[in-house]
Amino acid sequence: MKLSIMAKEAREVPAVIAKQLDKNDAAVSELASKLKQLNPHLIYIIGRGSSDHAGVFGKYLFETEMGIPVCSAALSIAGIFGKQLNLRGAVAFVISQSGRSPDILKQTESAKKGGAFTVAFVNDETSPLAELADAVIPISAGEEKAVAATKSFIATLSALLHLCARWSNNNALFESLAMLPELLNTVITSPAQLTSEYLENTRNTIVLGRGFGYAVGREVALKLKEVLGIHAEAFSSAEFIHGPVTLVEKKLKLIALNIHDESAPFHTAMVDDVKARGGECIDLGVADDSNAQAVHPRCSALLLMQRFYLDIERIAIEWGLNPDTPPGLNKVTKTQ
């Protein structure tokens, strides 16, 4: 069977991460030393779409592992309102696949002007962003032809994990990251979790996660919209109970993302509450219990995303949709 471009690129993730770790380790270690000297009091993340979702993952990562506050840039502040922020003592992580979106570049210029040390996590090392930033961590995913990002998203998460491990001197996290390519290959050959039968005739759905699960839940919701044309919204499972849970009465289908970390018992309790109210819910998680035991909790979400990307690509094919070119979307989105 001929694979779609999306499926081929998603299956490249293990090789991409293995190459990335080998290629980037010297540069990441050097940057980690620089950041230790700077000792920033804030991490300011600049990104849109899937890159912004990677930034939410980064927020949970650097706050839990290093205790540094992380916030997301409102790109309109510089691009539309023309306001300058004071970012002295901060480091700005700029996340972009193309490194060419005008609003990303303008916000990066503003961050530098405001005193931030800027680090670009970018796939195109020849891009204007790579030239503009103070330091560059290549995502090294190679050319991504499918409009829906897969390998570049997971590779961005691994790059953030790599920097965190070296910056915090967390050898356990680095060793687990080095194991990821092998574990991801196992996931690729594992059974599907999300099925076309579950999503059949679904127009609206809710994605529930907690912590790192919520971070990647935003990406899951985006891909359900982009690839399958299903309206999906991501919620923290804790936040969902505080009001939106009334949507369960509308007979919406829910997707619960289960990450093996400290949030798991709290997330499970909330999801059980939703199910007890009559919510129809499918559980997605690490594809194999042995993988869950082997991987560091901070890496667990990458395994979940690997399986999810393959599942929705297959569903799109079954529904007669083209997962490579969703209608109305382009690879580089030029917003101001």
Side-chain angles (χ1 to χ4, degrees):
M1 182 181 70
K2 182 179 180 181
L3 293 176
S4 69
I5 297 172
M6 180 182 176
K8 290 178 181 177
E9 290 177 345
R11 289 169 178 269
E12 292 172 7
V13 170
V16 164
I17 291 181
K19 176 183 175 182
Q20 180 195 79
L21 289 171
D22 182 60
K23 173 184 175 182
N24 285 357
D25 195 46
V28 167
S29 297
E30 182 178 349
L31 176 59
S33 297
K34 174 70 173 179
L35 293 174
K36 288 173 186 177
Q37 293 174 359
L38 292 174
N39 192 26
H41 62 77
L42 173 72
I43 297 175
Y44 184 69
I45 295 189
I46 301 169
R48 279 207 190 276
S50 293
S51 295
D52 184 50
H53 302 160
V56 178
F57 180 91
K59 175 179 176 65
Y60 282 100
L61 177 63
F62 288 96
E63 288 190 350
T64 58
E65 294 301 309
M66 302 194 67
I68 303 174
V70 180
C71 72
S72 179
L75 301 188
S76 296
I77 298 301
I80 302 298
F81 296 99
K83 299 299 181 179
Q84 178 63 56
L85 300 183
N86 178 0
L87 293 173
R88 288 191 295 272
V91 58
F93 289 172
V94 191
I95 304 173
S96 175
Q97 200 281 133
S98 70
R100 299 180 185 278
S101 296
D103 53 352
I104 298 294
L105 295 172
K106 188 160 188 176
Q107 191 67 45
T108 305
E109 291 173 348
S110 178
K112 290 186 70 171
K113 187 176 179 180
F117 180 82
T118 56
V119 181
F121 293 80
V122 63
N123 198 32
D124 185 349
E125 298 174 52
T126 66
S127 65
L129 176 60
E131 295 179 2
L132 177 62
D134 296 307
V136 176
I137 298 299
I139 296 172
S140 300
E143 183 181 7
E144 194 170 47
K145 295 180 180 179
V147 171
T150 55
K151 61 178 180 175
S152 65
F153 177 76
I154 298 179
T156 300
L157 303 190
S158 66
L160 290 166
L161 286 161
H162 192 176
L163 178 59
C164 182
R166 288 309 194 200
W167 188 1
S168 62
N169 297 318
N170 188 332
N171 291 329
L173 179 56
F174 181 78
E175 289 170 3
S176 185
L177 189 56
M179 293 171 55
L180 260 183
E182 179 181 350
L183 295 176
L184 287 163
N185 273 317
T186 301
V187 170
I188 288 172
T189 59
S190 67
Q193 295 187 359
L194 189 62
T195 65
S196 59
E197 290 77 16
Y198 182 74
L199 293 176
E200 189 174 8
N201 299 319
T202 298
R203 298 184 62 186
N204 302 283
T205 190
I206 298 294
V207 180
L208 296 178
R210 191 75 187 267
F212 291 88
Y214 167 66
V216 296
R218 290 162 59 103
E219 173 68 4
V220 167
L222 176 63
K223 289 300 183 288
L224 288 167
K225 297 171 191 172
E226 286 182 344
V227 179
L228 300 181
I230 294 174
H231 176 239
E233 296 299 331
F235 286 90
S236 160
S237 52
E239 189 67 28
F240 189 69
I241 295 295
H242 283 269
V245 71
T246 58
L247 293 171
V248 170
E249 297 179 2
K250 304 295 183 181
K251 304 302 179 184
L252 293 175
K253 291 185 177 180
L254 298 99
I255 299 171
L257 308 183
N258 302 317
I259 303 296
H260 295 270
D261 64 9
E262 300 92 326
S263 71
F266 304 97
H267 173 65
T268 299
M270 294 297 98
V271 172
D272 287 346
D273 186 332
V274 171
K275 291 177 179 178
R277 297 171 190 243
E280 185 178 359
C281 184
I282 191 170
D283 295 293
L284 308 184
V286 177
D288 185 290
D289 285 340
S290 62
N291 286 344
Q293 298 294 329
V295 75
H296 191 287
R298 304 297 173 250
C299 299
S300 180
L302 283 69
L303 301 179
L304 186 153
M305 291 307 302
Q306 176 73 79
R307 185 64 259 166
F308 169 75
Y309 282 143
L310 295 172
D311 288 352
I312 61 165
E313 183 276 341
R314 189 199 67 259
I315 294 171
I317 296 296
E318 291 178 3
W319 288 359
L321 303 173
N322 185 347
D324 297 332
T325 56
L329 297 179
N330 296 306
K331 193 62 181 173
V332 180
T333 303
K334 295 184 177 181
T335 47
Q336 299 294 329

